Amino acid sequence: MPCVLALGRLNESTLRRDESCTEATLKVHVGYKALVLLALFQRYPKLSGAMYMDADAVIDAAWLRPQVYFELEPRADLIGTSNFNAPVLMNGGVLLLRNSPWTARFLSQWWQRRCAGKDQLALWHSIFAAWAEDIPWLRWPKGMWSKYKYALDAARRLALPYVASSHNAMRRALLLDNTEWKCNGTCNWLFERTGCLSQPLFLPHVLLLPVVPFRLPKGASHTISDGEVLSRLRARSSSLVPPLQHYSGHLYARFTGLAAEQLVCHVNERPSSCLHQQQGTQGLQHINLTKRDKRHLREMCDLCRTFARSIVDGRCSNRTHNKFYRCVCSNVLLPKFENVASGEGSFRHRWRCPDICLHLGSKL
């Protein structure tokens, strides 16, 4: 995978920024990623796309390829994930971008909207502004993007809940409902209540990926052109596609039977998680539990039960004021939910924790 080093000097016209930001923009390097990516695509117009990753991130599952995620939805020009902890619209530490006219406009706006010392606020602002160019009724409160210290409030109290409640209408407005990644049913119910995705979600030009492994739709394996990667996916016991980054379950992978793999391991998750990866179990009967294992397993099962009840009871979102999400995705995504018919066309959501909580619960 070729890497790029950008060197140069910026003139005064390039350094101009949008006046909507009322804070001083510090001279930090994180904001330059948008400008470098824009220059890269202009210098190499035949380049199909690029992956950006922060300096504190490393490739984890080297057998994976960024193309796997690009091929999930050919109409997605920007691909990213949320956080494994407090959910946000998109984390800027690892991004996939397709070389397209939309991406060029988006990167230009991201650079011009830089605000304060980090790039997350400008990233979210530019995504919303790009959507608003195509969807006239898309609106946001005045001043929402004006100061970085309000960035988490903007993403958690306003932007993310807005997307969770409006993503279907946004796709329908642009006739984009013929996608595999609608986040319907239980996925939508969970997303609206917690801000955490259990499956990919396609929005205009943007694909949001979950921070947990996800399954390809039936018959969709033909979308992956890399035969080696497809064989590896089919050979996995779970047949799940690993997350792009911020895998929320890597601490408990040994107990859930899932491989603790992701394309990129972002050290800001937990530094030790990138030093070694525990592989999924071959069967619950082969686990020899140490005292430390039992403590971690008890913690996982207790968290799973607690947050399953919190989600069902609506305690992961504050509905009294501007709705915001108060639960972290690493806990929210531990239980598995499914729709269960409860009569007269209504449904209730049944949850279950990883099988090991049931099978080994008496041994804890």
Side-chain angles (χ1 to χ4, degrees), residues 58 81 87 92 133 138 144-145 162 243 247 255 259-260 296 300 339 341 345 349 362:
V58 296
T81 69
E133 290 180 3
L138 195 67
M144 189 166 87
W145 314 108
Y162 186 95
Y247 178 27
F255 304 131
H296 285 175
M300 179 192 76
N339 286 331
H349 289 86
S362 60

Side-chain angles (χ1 to χ4, degrees), residues 120-158:
Q120 297 277 46
L121 181 62
L123 171 65
W124 303 328
H125 188 182
S126 300
I127 291 173
F128 260 71
W131 286 335
E133 290 180 3
D134 297 324
I135 307 174
W137 49 259
L138 195 67
R139 294 288 185 271
W140 53 83
K142 184 178 180 180
M144 189 166 87
W145 314 108
S146 62
K147 291 187 177 181
Y148 186 79
K149 68 178 182 179
Y150 300 130
L152 279 181
D153 279 347
R156 296 177 65 191
R157 293 180 183 270
L158 300 170

Side-chain angles (χ1 to χ4, degrees), residues 249-292:
H250 59 73
L251 286 180
Y252 308 114
R254 182 178 177 218
F255 304 131
T256 58
L258 299 175
E261 292 179 300
Q262 50 194 327
L263 178 61
V264 175
C265 185
H266 208 157
V267 179
N268 69 0
E269 305 168 23
R270 293 176 177 87
S272 61
S273 68
C274 295
L275 299 179
H276 60 86
Q277 296 290 349
Q278 294 177 319
Q279 296 302 310
T281 62
Q282 299 301 314
L284 299 178
Q285 68 274 17
H286 298 301
I287 298 180
N288 295 316
L289 294 175
T290 65
K291 289 184 178 180
R292 184 179 180 183

